[in-house]
Amino acid sequence: MAQQHLDPPTDPTAGPVTSDALAGYLRAQATEFLRSLRQHRETGAGAASGSAESVAAARALRRSARRISGSLHTFRPLLDTDWSEGMRPELAWLSGTLAREHAYGARLERLLGALNRLSGAAALPAQAAGANAHTAPKGSLTVGAAKAGALLDRQLTLARTRAHSAALQALGSSRFHAVADSVAVLASEVPLTPAAPATDLRPPAAAAADRLTDAVAALPLVTAGHPYNAEALVHGLSADTAPQPQDAPWHQVRLLLRLHRYARELMYGDACPTDVRLLAAGQALNRHRDAAEAASAAASAARTPRIAPATAYALGVLHADQRHEVEAARFAFQQAWQKEAVRTL
Amino acid sequence: MAQQHLDPPTDPTAGPVTSDALAGYLRAQATEFLRSLRQHRETGAGAASGSAESVAAARALRRSARRISGSLHTFRPLLDTDWSEGMRPELAWLSGTLAREHAYGARLERLLGALNRLSGAAALPAQAAGANAHTAPKGSLTVGAAKAGALLDRQLTLARTRAHSAALQALGSSRFHAVADSVAVLASEVPLTPAAPATDLRPPAAAAADRLTDAVAALPLVTAGHPYNAEALVHGLSADTAPQPQDAPWHQVRLLLRLHRYARELMYGDACPTDVRLLAAGQALNRHRDAAEAASAAASAARTPRIAPATAYALGVLHADQRHEVEAARFAFQQAWQKEAVRTL
């Protein structure tokens, strides 16, 4: 596939973008970070499992942490090096810690939904497979699906509870307070380099777009564009329990797409148009990541000692199903990406 | 999808096709049947597992039996009713009995090939998974794949051996000798009705084409045309062990496509052009049938008592993989079918 160029991340009719845009974006995201943090504290963050408000606040916190971190990376020549290089790993630690609880919950929901679909019970709510393990109708495979659901429910709920505790602990730690203090400083004073005011933001933003384009060009898109290529399930039964190496370049493109998206937001400001192509491509890559992790969780549950063969069989079907979701997501990405960039305001 | 009309099964420049064409075709197929039978007897049909020549002879025997039976069905108004209605079930019994041995062998090869592919060992010969069960590298899932291969090898080899004995027994039975006698009569004297010489073959041939077109129109081709629609694996974990009802209309189209193909052969005679669209559609439906039966064999093996969870897991992955092959075959059929009929001589 010929290398495609991305929509330039600024309005092509405008002139150079100055460091004011960077400072304004970082201040706004820092303010949003502090607002979400306050909201998270006020909405029962201490509960065993967060309320809807506290979940939304944690999501907003992660959202702004990712944007700050991404902008520090893309526009690092304009920012005080020591400060920004100290800040990024702390923001990554924070958003990673906060993301885990949500991820386990979403993974469980995805897997129980798939088990229901595979049992021909798509009309039931997602929780039913786990909850009804003891009332499942006769037939070893259906019992297997119910037991697999109950096993995944147990394992992923435990993981989620632990992630919740870890997140609460993190939010009370001195490490977190240091991050929050740095963000509070950022909300009023962005540490730009002396040369920053004379620097055009367009070259670093274009470089972020180029890194994305190059990474996409290295993906096996020709294969991905052939439906049912059966690539995602190769090694589906290999002994290696590590995440599949074939997924890594796709995960990397997902991160680069996000950086490009944040750079666009920053460059366009409030007038940032929605790029439906980027949106669809990003959604496909999220689905790719979620399905890959769900497949891995099913394989991992199958290694639980002393499970029944019927449970293991259902987990095998589930694993393969999610690896096909991985393949489907790559196809969807390929389809989205090959479309010409469409701009809708 | 709008109903598409098939290429008329005769050369449109030609006039009516007379019963001579039917009589000629049936005589030729009957002669071929008798030739294959002689060859089968001469090439060690009694061996535990047939030689290459005897396998080829059995295939040729089935091939002509199917063509005779199909023609009796499509052109039944021209043939003596009692005779042709007595003959068809006997030919079906014979070709079914002969087909079974081949089918078990092909199913085993398909499943072992898939297990190798899923273990990331695509370079190994298909038999390796079963044969190397005891030397498989460490890692429970790989051991699971090897054990699953060995289990399938045991079950399907046993089934194939039984089918071989059944076929030999059938070929020595008085029931078979009656069929062979009828075919010998057919080779010299086709029992046409008194009205047959004045009957045009085109209407019954067109009716066969219409039955195919109608059956295809009833298939869920819109869904099949959307890659990764996940339809084939719905009920993948349901308790029902019977063949999936969703496969039946596709199997039916496969049979109707075959009848249409035989009618074309008969109508065109030696000048029968290859219709690449029919060819591709037929291959997709064969793949559909093979994958559906392989998926079913994997599910059935998983119900073997006292298997290890790792074996069951591998069989679950394998089942899902083959059900995705079913889905891929439907997609391939849809793609082949929507192409305009292309005629190459």
Side-chain angles (χ1 to χ4, degrees), chain A residues 101-111 160 290:
Chain A
E101 177 183 359
H102 170 73
Y104 285 122
R107 199 167 304 157
L108 178 60
E109 200 177 328
R110 168 177 269 273
L111 286 166
R160 189 179 54 180
D290 293 346

Side-chain angles (χ1 to χ4, degrees), chain A residues 111 114-115 118 152 295 298 313-323:
Chain A
L111 286 166
L115 276 175
L118 296 170
L152 290 166
Y313 176 84
L315 289 169
V317 171
L318 190 57
H319 172 77
D321 175 69
Q322 291 300 305
R323 289 303 302 173

Side-chain angles (χ1 to χ4, degrees), chain A residues 8-319:
Chain A
T10 57
D11 184 344
T13 61
V17 178
T18 68
S19 62
D20 287 354
L22 174 60
Y25 186 77
L26 284 174
R27 271 197 302 270
Q29 293 301 331
T31 305
E32 174 63 17
F33 181 101
L34 297 170
R35 194 195 59 72
S36 312
L37 179 59
R38 215 162 37 239
Q39 197 175 12
H40 191 261
R41 280 183 179 140
E42 285 164 4
T43 54
S49 172
S51 66
E53 291 86 1
S54 117
V55 166
R59 176 171 299 175
L61 203 57
R62 266 158 45 211
R63 189 176 182 278
S64 46
R66 283 198 309 264
R67 279 166 171 72
I68 295 168
S69 174
S71 304
L72 299 189
H73 179 70
T74 302
F75 300 100
R76 62 192 173 288
L78 288 87
L79 294 157
D80 181 87
T81 310
D82 287 351
W83 174 81
S84 72
E85 290 195 350
M87 185 94 169
R88 285 197 66 222
E90 296 307 293
L91 288 168
W93 161 74
L94 176 65
S95 56
T97 305
L98 293 179
R100 222 152 286 144
E101 177 183 359
H102 170 73
Y104 285 122
R107 199 167 304 157
L108 178 60
E109 200 177 328
R110 168 177 269 273
L111 286 166
L112 294 183
L115 276 175
N116 273 325
R117 172 168 49 79
L118 296 170
S119 305
L124 293 179
Q127 266 64 19
N132 291 342
H134 54 290
T135 59
K138 287 287 172 211
S140 66
L141 298 188
T142 294
V143 168
K147 280 188 172 177
L151 176 61
L152 290 166
D153 196 359
R154 214 155 51 233
Q155 294 186 340
L156 290 171
T157 301
L158 178 64
R160 189 179 54 180
T161 306
R162 284 187 181 151
H164 182 71
S165 306
L168 287 186
Q169 206 169 3
L171 289 173
S173 69
S174 57
R175 185 176 179 184
F176 173 70
H177 287 116
V179 183
D181 286 350
S182 298
V183 176
V185 170
L186 189 63
S188 56
E189 179 70 45
V190 175
L192 297 172
T193 59
T199 309
D200 184 1
L201 295 189
R202 288 179 302 176
D210 287 347
R211 282 191 291 274
L212 171 59
T213 313
D214 290 349
V216 172
L219 290 176
L221 287 188
V222 173
T223 299
H226 285 106
Y228 302 108
N229 56 67
E231 267 301 303
L233 200 54
V234 168
H235 306 288
L237 285 173
S238 78
D240 201 353
T241 61
Q244 306 228 356
Q246 61 164 270
D247 297 346
W250 299 87
H251 295 331
Q252 178 65 10
V253 167
R254 182 176 161 272
L255 299 180
L256 292 173
L257 188 81
R258 209 150 76 172
L259 290 177
H260 170 63
R261 202 149 56 81
Y262 300 157
R264 285 182 85 246
E265 283 178 14
L266 189 157
M267 304 293 282
Y268 276 107
D270 290 338
C272 186
T274 302
D275 185 330
V276 290
R277 178 168 164 254
L278 283 185
L279 200 69
Q283 283 168 346
L285 293 172
N286 288 344
R287 182 177 162 209
H288 181 273
R289 195 260 326 254
D290 293 346
E293 292 184 342
S296 178
S300 159
R303 288 187 289 271
T304 307
R306 288 179 301 281
I307 57 172
T311 311
Y313 176 84
L315 289 169
V317 171
L318 190 57
H319 172 77

Side-chain angles (χ1 to χ4, degrees), chain B residues 284-295:
Chain B
L285 293 171
N286 288 344
R287 181 177 163 209
H288 181 273
R289 195 262 324 256
D290 293 346
E293 291 184 344

Side-chain angles (χ1 to χ4, degrees), chain A residues 118 142 228 236-237 239 309 312 324 327, chain B residues 118 142 228 236-237 239 309 312 324 327:
Chain A
L118 296 170
T142 294
Y228 302 108
L237 285 173
H324 275 100
E327 196 176 297
Chain B
L118 296 171
T142 293
Y228 302 108
L237 285 172
H324 275 100
E327 197 178 296

Side-chain angles (χ1 to χ4, degrees), chain B residues 49 81 112 117 146 160-161 173 237 253 258 303 322 343:
Chain B
S49 172
T81 310
L112 294 183
R117 172 168 49 77
R160 190 180 52 180
T161 306
S173 69
L237 285 172
V253 167
R258 210 149 78 171
R303 287 187 289 271
Q322 292 300 306
R343 212 186 273 188

